[in-house]
Amino acid sequence: MEDAVVERLLALGREALRRGAALPAEFFSPEERAVLSRELAVLPGLRALFYGGYRRASRQRLVLAPEYLLAEAIDPGLACFSITAADRDRLSEEACLAALIALGLPRGMIGDLIPVDGGCQAVLAAEYAEAVQDGLRWIGETEVTAAAIEPEALQAPPIQEKTIQTTVASPRLDAVAADGFGVSRTRMARLIKAGIVRVNWQPAARPDRLL
């Protein structure tokens, strides 16, 4: 993550502390959120909260607030929309994203796009809700309707998880990951050294890393 982004968010965090208010920023990926949670921890009394509209959303909006504010009382500034084609043709996530950006929404103000029959559902920064409601009429040559919906109406994609219980000789990353993914420890060590394994969203390059 660029230093300029971190510095800007630190400044926003200091402003939130000064004003005693919750201030929203943009949406971030899981990898970015892991970095920001660490970087923003240098400000005593500041909470970094993330909201995506539904449980386990991939892209989530950062809200910075003093620790004494109740999380339940904080408005994350989210708006949810259903974007559907008039003829019920399927709209791709890529097409919906391109249309929102063409409408003037910065990428950081767009959260998850969930594919549904006839289009997609979108989680956006609330300050762009009116622009989407009034301005999104066509995606390419397809006429569309953009309707505001409640977060409860979001059709969250199913979570694919697998729980594995195992006993390992060592809490090393290569040993645990080898059992978890059902491959040999030697092969897992190669995958780790190749840089394609992450721990808590952060790249892990050492097979002997202790978990």
Side-chain angles (χ1 to χ4, degrees), residues 41-170:
V42 301
L43 292 179
L46 183 71
R47 300 175 69 185
L49 304 169
F50 295 95
Y51 302 87
Y54 65 96
R55 183 171 176 263
R56 297 199 181 184
S58 178
R59 290 177 59 81
Q60 298 183 16
R61 191 175 196 187
L62 169 64
V63 178
L64 298 173
E67 288 181 342
Y68 56 79
L69 291 185
L70 293 176
E72 296 79 6
I74 293 175
D75 179 7
L78 302 182
C80 303
F81 278 88
S82 173
I83 303 171
T84 54
D87 57 6
R88 305 300 296 176
D89 280 348
R90 182 177 178 84
L91 294 170
S92 69
E93 296 172 62
E94 293 77 9
C96 290
L97 176 60
L100 291 170
I101 292 175
L103 201 60
L105 278 71
R107 184 64 182 97
M109 295 292 105
I110 304 172
D112 279 4
L113 298 176
I114 305 170
V116 296
D117 290 341
C120 71
Q121 295 177 328
V123 182
L124 313 169
E127 50 265 42
Y128 290 90
E130 186 175 347
V132 173
Q133 186 94 54
D134 297 340
L136 190 59
R137 293 290 180 265
W138 296 86
I139 295 182
E141 297 181 353
T142 302
E143 186 177 6
V144 300
T145 299
I149 59 175
E150 295 297 323
E152 293 77 15
L154 292 171
Q155 300 178 31
I159 299 171
Q160 297 182 354
E161 291 183 330
K162 182 179 181 181
T163 300
I164 298 173
Q165 294 183 343
T166 185
T167 301
V168 293
S170 163

Side-chain angles (χ1 to χ4, degrees), residues 13-46:
R14 287 189 284 269
E15 179 67 10
L17 292 173
R18 185 187 70 81
R19 291 169 52 182
L23 301 180
E26 57 260 53
F27 289 86
F28 292 98
S29 68
E31 296 89 341
E32 294 169 327
R33 295 200 301 274
V35 174
L36 287 174
S37 295
R38 182 177 66 250
E39 296 289 346
L40 294 170
V42 301
L43 292 179
L46 183 71

